[in-house]
Amino acid sequence: MLDNFGREIDYLRISVTDRCNLRCIYCMPKDGVEWIPHENVLTFEEILRICRVFASLGIRKIKLTGGEPLVRHGIAGLIRDIKAIPGIKQITLTTNGVLFAPMAEELVAAGLDAVTFSIDSLKRDRYADITRFDHIDETEAAIRKAMELGLPVKLNCVPLRGVNEDELPDLAALARDHDLQVRMIELMPIGCGKQFSGIPFSEILTSLEERFGPSIPCSEALGNGPASYVSFEGFKGHIGFITALTHPFCASCNRVRLTSSGFLKLCLNHPDGVELLPLLRGGADDEELKKVLSDAILRKPLRHHFEDRGVGDPDKMNSIGG
């Protein structure tokens, strides 16, 4: 499925809930946000219908996100049903890991292909300061469990000036000791993230090279996303950099996003999209839905406009799904 700029769109990220069991400082305020009313959240049947129609158009890879996707009851069944859709080749999950370990074997049995954990600190007090909860033991147990089960593992870290910058080499060292990917994600000026300062890719790389020696560029494709990867001598895994602001990758964007309330978001930071809930609950058949989706893909914007304040500028990361 090609958009109007010749990009192949084969990847759908689905936020199954806006709810989360953490309150990360760059994502949500301390007291949380107003949740989407239950009746306005897509049912699993509606999500599956959208996935089936998208698969007929060429979507091959699906990522389940949130909020925190594991707080939604029955998520393993949803994974199983999505994986059974003809044309879907891969289903992955992004999670904070708090609930993962007890569910891990069920998720793998359902067909989960890979998992990404969000973790911004390895220090208990700092982890609690960033997430506003003391759940580092659960997150670390989740990472260990995923590796024990043989799942490909990625770790997402958001480097924040004055918060965790001194820990970035320690986080990177996890890829020295384990066959996983540690990805440094450039802070995006969305919602609560606007009050923090990110750290440039070049500065992070310099700090890593000071500790581990010269970086070794990696040309191998290591995932579905836009990260550029390096490794270091003696590393079992890789370090990834996702630099949406300083080194935009819009020209190769392959994804669209579905929010938990049924809005098909064509770009992370652009207002254009389609409200699918009225169609799903208003009697539209699959052919009508297919036309709406295919027409929407042709409107996918060329770039994200993060540099243009006021364009897009979403204020709730938890409802978008990253």
Side-chain angles (χ1 to χ4, degrees):
M1 176 169 52
L2 299 180
D3 71 3
N4 215 26
F5 301 100
R7 297 173 294 193
E8 183 177 2
I9 311 302
D10 63 356
Y11 182 26
L12 174 65
R13 295 177 64 99
I14 302 173
S15 172
V16 298
T17 180
D18 63 325
R19 287 164 168 76
C20 189
N21 48 359
L22 300 181
R23 298 289 183 272
C24 294
I25 55 176
Y26 53 80
C27 183
M28 276 199 279
K30 182 177 181 179
D31 296 328
V33 297
E34 184 177 351
W35 304 125
I36 297 170
H38 179 73
E39 63 272 17
N40 293 341
V41 173
L42 289 172
T43 66
F44 282 173
E45 290 75 17
E46 290 164 340
I47 291 173
L48 287 168
R49 185 181 174 197
I50 293 169
C51 289
R52 283 192 292 267
V53 175
F54 256 134
S56 73
L57 290 169
I59 290 292
R60 297 292 174 256
K61 297 166 285 191
I62 289 178
K63 167 85 76 177
L64 299 184
T65 72
E68 168 49 48
L70 297 185
V71 303
R72 184 154 181 187
H73 181 70
I75 195 72
L78 179 64
I79 290 172
R80 182 178 297 107
D81 291 342
I82 292 176
K83 193 68 178 290
I85 295 173
I88 298 300
K89 303 300 184 186
Q90 184 188 76
I91 182 162
T92 60
L93 178 78
T94 292
T95 171
N96 58 40
V98 173
L99 301 174
F100 180 83
M103 303 172 63
E105 293 184 7
E106 181 184 12
L107 296 172
V108 171
L112 184 67
D113 292 299
V115 61
T116 299
F117 296 105
S118 299
I119 183 166
D120 299 314
S121 175
L122 300 175
K123 297 179 179 180
R124 180 178 301 277
D125 290 348
R126 185 176 290 170
Y127 175 98
D129 287 342
I130 294 172
T131 67
R132 299 191 174 100
F133 286 91
D134 181 10
H135 288 315
I136 192 169
D137 291 340
E138 291 91 330
T139 300
E140 291 181 341
I143 296 168
R144 290 193 300 270
K145 184 67 174 181
M147 290 191 293
E148 288 170 8
L149 293 175
L151 276 176
V153 171
K154 297 176 184 172
L155 306 181
N156 282 350
C157 169
V158 179
L160 301 172
R161 178 78 69 195
V163 177
N164 63 352
E165 59 192 302
D166 60 312
E167 261 195 279
L168 301 181
D170 292 334
L171 284 156
L174 294 172
R176 178 192 60 198
D177 303 329
H178 305 283
D179 183 12
L180 51 74
Q181 300 165 32
V182 177
R183 306 192 303 176
M184 307 292 178
I185 301 180
E186 194 168 53
L187 178 70
M188 288 176 276
I190 295 175
C192 294
K194 297 174 187 175
Q195 62 187 301
F196 296 97
S197 297
I199 305 171
F201 151 78
S202 58
E203 184 178 330
I204 297 171
L205 184 59
T206 296
S207 71
L208 298 184
E209 290 185 326
E210 287 175 352
R211 176 156 167 186
F212 303 116
S215 59
I216 305 167
C218 177
S219 58
E220 179 186 357
L222 295 175
N224 301 322
S228 59
Y229 288 93
V230 302
S231 191
F232 297 89
E233 186 173 354
F235 269 51
K236 296 179 180 179
H238 296 83
I239 309 301
F241 299 93
I242 300 179
T243 53
L245 276 72
T246 57
H247 297 83
F249 35 79
C250 301
S252 59
C253 184
N254 65 339
R255 68 194 59 194
V256 289
R257 292 171 169 82
L258 180 66
T259 72
S260 55
S261 60
F263 184 71
L264 179 66
K265 195 166 182 58
L266 304 175
C267 172
L268 178 59
N269 191 58
H270 199 282
D272 200 6
V274 181
E275 292 285 3
L276 298 180
L277 202 60
L279 291 168
L280 295 168
R281 299 181 183 179
D285 62 24
D286 283 358
E287 284 304 311
E288 292 175 84
L289 186 57
K290 185 174 182 178
K291 185 176 188 319
V292 168
L293 296 179
S294 57
D295 287 349
I297 294 300
L298 293 177
R299 300 203 315 273
K300 182 174 169 64
L302 178 60
R303 58 191 181 92
H304 56 49
H305 293 280
F306 269 120
E307 71 279 13
D308 301 329
R309 294 298 182 147
V311 177
D313 201 23
D315 62 354
K316 289 183 180 180
M317 196 67 184
N318 65 296
S319 65
I320 298 170

